Structures are given as structure tokens and as C-alpha cells.
Amino acid sequence: MRGTGSTRMAMPWRFCSLIAAGVLAACVTSTTRYFTPTEGDPRISQDDFRDESDQLLRVECPRLMGSSGQASGQARMRLLIDRSGTAQRAEFTRSSGDERVDTMWGGLAVRLKFDPQSQQRRDLEPIIVTVGYSCSANGTAVTTLQLPT
């Protein structure tokens, strides 16, 4: 009786993993959220930004802290500033990790008004700002706003 054999017909694993990675990459989507000013909303200073954010955070802090007694987070935004120093668009380049906090900060950021910069060359100049928050169990909510130097 003659013996029977088999021939391996499968693809090598490294080839399969490349195909799988390509298929997965095709399924990944990216969404960019940005904010624009609402007609008629008053412009605010950097101090006003921090004050308004602190007030809004006091409401959010219990949810953000959960059972831990403290919470903190940080986000980075690209602001487009026009020649008059007025923010025209805010776009998150790094989220705080909380959609409600991001929405709050995006809405406040597009209301910012800075001193006009005489060296501004473009109609809309991008600047990167970092915003942070800290909540504690004693009811303290603090916002930080860091501008480029």
C-alpha cells in the first residue's frame, strides 16, 4: 500500500498578520472636533476663561472624582487667532479624556480675546494652548491655561 502525504498550502503567519493589520487599519477612522464662535457671544480674557471654567468645573467635579476624592486632567488645543487677537477656531490636538470637559473648554476657548500681535503675518495664526483642571473633595476646582511663551 502506498503512503499518502500532504502538502502545506497555508500562507506564512507573517504574511497573514500583514493582511490583518491592513484590514484593521482600513477600519480605523479619525474625527476632528473643532469649535467656532457663536455670533453675539461676548469675548473673554484669559482670566475670564479660568474663572468661568472653574465655575463650570465645580458642577462636574463630583462626577469626575467619582469615589476617589480628587481628579485632574489636561488637554491641548490649537487656536486660530485673527489679526485683531480674537480666537476664530479651537481644535483639540489632545483630549482631556472627558467629552464634557472638552466641550466646555472648546466653547470657552473660541471666545478668547488676546492683545493683537504686530508680528502676525497671516490672517489666522495658530497657537497651541494647554488647559488643565484639578478637583478636590473640599469643593475646590482649579483651571490652568498655559499659552506659548
Side-chain angles (χ1 to χ4, degrees):
M1 186 172 192
R2 292 180 74 172
T4 59
S6 64
T7 304
R8 190 170 171 202
M9 299 295 286
M11 288 185 264
W13 170 246
R14 65 182 180 274
F15 185 71
C16 290
S17 62
L18 288 175
I19 291 173
V23 169
L24 288 176
C27 296
V28 175
T29 60
S30 176
T31 302
T32 301
R33 281 185 43 185
Y34 63 92
F35 299 81
T36 56
T38 301
E39 186 74 31
D41 272 354
R43 293 300 176 158
I44 59 175
S45 69
Q46 297 166 52
D47 289 336
D48 294 333
F49 178 99
R50 285 186 282 270
D51 291 344
E52 288 190 35
S53 177
D54 288 352
Q55 288 177 355
L56 295 168
L57 273 172
R58 281 188 199 95
V59 174
E60 296 295 330
C61 278
R63 178 185 64 79
L64 294 166
M65 289 186 300
S67 61
S68 73
Q70 66 178 1
S72 63
Q74 192 176 64
R76 188 171 292 135
M77 285 185 277
R78 178 182 299 114
L79 299 180
L80 294 179
I81 310 299
D82 67 16
R83 290 183 185 272
S84 72
T86 306
Q88 295 300 320
R89 180 177 166 136
E91 173 184 311
F92 282 89
T93 59
R94 188 180 74 215
S95 170
S96 70
D98 186 90
E99 187 175 342
R100 285 158 100 175
V101 171
D102 289 351
T103 300
M104 173 182 69
W105 283 342
L108 290 172
V110 294
R111 294 176 50 208
L112 281 166
K113 172 80 170 145
F114 301 97
D115 292 333
Q117 302 297 308
S118 59
Q119 72 273 18
Q120 184 166 333
R121 306 247 185 283
R122 296 181 270 185
D123 289 338
L124 293 174
E125 189 72 34
I127 63 169
I128 302 295
V129 299
T130 302
V131 187
Y133 74 86
S134 178
C135 300
S136 64
N138 66 3
T140 303
V142 177
T143 302
T144 59
L145 176 64
Q146 184 179 15
L147 301 173
T149 54

